Amino acid sequence: MMSIQWLAVLSLLCIFFLVGKNLDIFCLLIRNGLYFFRCKNNMNSLVLSLAPKFTKLQTLILRQDKPQLEDDAVEAIANCCHDLQDLDLSKSFKLTDRSLYALARGSPNLTKLNISGCSAFSDSALAYLTGFCRKLKVLNLCGCVKTASDRALQAIGYNCSQLQSLNLGWCENVGDLGVTSLAYGCPDLRALNLCGCVLITDESVIALASRCRHLRSLGLYYCQNITDRAMYSLAQSRLNKKHERRETVKNRREEDGLRNLNISQCTALTPPAVQAVCDSFPALHTCPGRHSLIISGCLSLTSVHCACAVQAHRAPITHAH
């Protein structure tokens, strides 16, 4: 096993060599992770040359200023780096389904995968990958309109029971069938971004509220089919959880339950329903500096306030004697 000292030396040499070439690439090697930032040119050829030399990599972050990665580079990663757990391929517009098929065969230990903005992947390729990469805990599909379909989410729900975080922002083909499949198949889900998923309705939120008891962050920005039913289901899930666990007041923690909820532009919601959610989850704040209940664009919800905001408003004024 390579010593820490050698890793440090190699990291410095790597940085010196890469940054010295017109500042085109900044590369950093930390333990079993390789990080590329500000890469303007030659990313593909660089990955092709380095992949066979770093076979024990567990983390590979490939950040590009412009799309450079091609399928042959990802195939090299999959063929050489079988211990890979964390891979960031975001904004790699040139990649096709070949890359996902290669990762499925060569990187079954992936726990974190970021393919946000990779617009060419199909939903069938993603479904295929989930059948092999069953340890996925964090998956970023933001902007993958073609990839993130109900069919793909059904596969994720069936194959990836350990999933904890999923970003589906602006995946406009996602509907209730897919989200419900996630809720039933991924009970440990902690964070779910559905912002811009305009097809979903209350049924998605109701399923999440009843099945995903560890949910901490939920993004529903611009999901304008969401109504008060969804909000009351979230509030009720908190009450059910308290009842099931028979928590005492002493043991209840603010951290339990939702900590972040974005319902901006959900214009069908009314103040009583949103206030019920806010009252049920103490970690949701509307007060300045602690905004975790985001309601921008909902002019009818301006009366909704968290407990600490109400307490501050009611605080007694001390009169000078």
Side-chain angles (χ1 to χ4, degrees), residues 38-74:
R38 205 177 62 217
C39 300
K40 298 179 181 178
N41 297 296
N42 305 316
M43 165 74 84
N44 203 70
S45 58
L46 185 63
V47 172
L48 285 170
S49 64
L50 290 179
K53 300 177 178 65
F54 291 90
T55 58
K56 298 299 181 181
L57 274 183
Q58 294 181 5
T59 299
L60 182 57
I61 308 299
L62 302 171
R63 300 281 173 83
Q64 311 157 76
D65 280 357
K66 60 182 180 181
Q68 301 166 56
L69 275 184
E70 298 179 8
D71 291 322
D72 56 347
V74 178

Side-chain angles (χ1 to χ4, degrees), residues 28-41:
L28 181 62
L29 175 66
I30 302 176
R31 294 188 179 181
N32 291 323
L34 192 57
Y35 303 78
F36 292 89
F37 302 98
R38 205 177 62 217
C39 300
K40 298 179 181 178
N41 297 296

Side-chain angles (χ1 to χ4, degrees), residues 176-298:
D176 289 333
L177 177 61
V179 177
T180 301
S181 299
L182 280 176
Y184 279 81
C186 307
D188 200 30
L189 201 60
R190 312 294 177 92
L192 179 60
N193 182 4
L194 294 170
C195 294
C197 296
V198 295
L199 297 180
I200 68 166
T201 71
D202 294 335
E203 300 307 318
S204 289
V205 180
I206 291 170
L208 292 167
S210 64
R211 304 295 299 186
C212 301
R213 298 302 179 89
H214 303 293
L215 194 63
R216 299 293 179 264
S217 178
L218 179 60
L220 297 172
Y221 172 79
Y222 212 75
C223 297
Q224 297 188 329
N225 293 321
I226 299 298
T227 73
D228 288 351
R229 282 184 64 220
M231 296 298 102
Y232 284 122
S233 71
L234 288 172
Q236 185 62 41
S237 72
R238 173 68 166 171
L239 296 175
N240 292 341
K241 183 179 178 182
K242 287 180 179 180
H243 177 72
E244 289 171 5
R245 294 187 177 182
R246 295 180 181 178
E247 297 174 331
T248 64
V249 173
K250 181 178 179 180
N251 291 330
R252 290 174 190 166
R253 298 182 302 168
E254 183 178 283
E255 289 78 9
D256 290 337
L258 279 175
R259 302 175 194 173
N260 294 281
L261 177 62
N262 187 344
I263 49 174
S264 298
Q265 300 296 335
C266 295
T267 52
L269 300 178
T270 66
V274 178
Q275 188 65 60
V277 175
C278 197
D279 292 342
S280 298
F281 298 100
L284 291 179
H285 293 280
T286 59
C287 49
R290 303 183 69 184
H291 279 106
S292 55
L293 175 59
I294 306 172
I295 55 177
S296 59
C298 300

Side-chain angles (χ1 to χ4, degrees), residues 17-18 107 110 131-132 136 143-144 166 178 201 218 224 245 259:
F17 174 75
L18 294 172
S107 303
L110 281 175
F132 293 84
L136 280 172
C144 298
L166 178 60
T201 71
L218 179 60
Q224 297 188 329
R245 294 187 177 182
R259 302 175 194 173

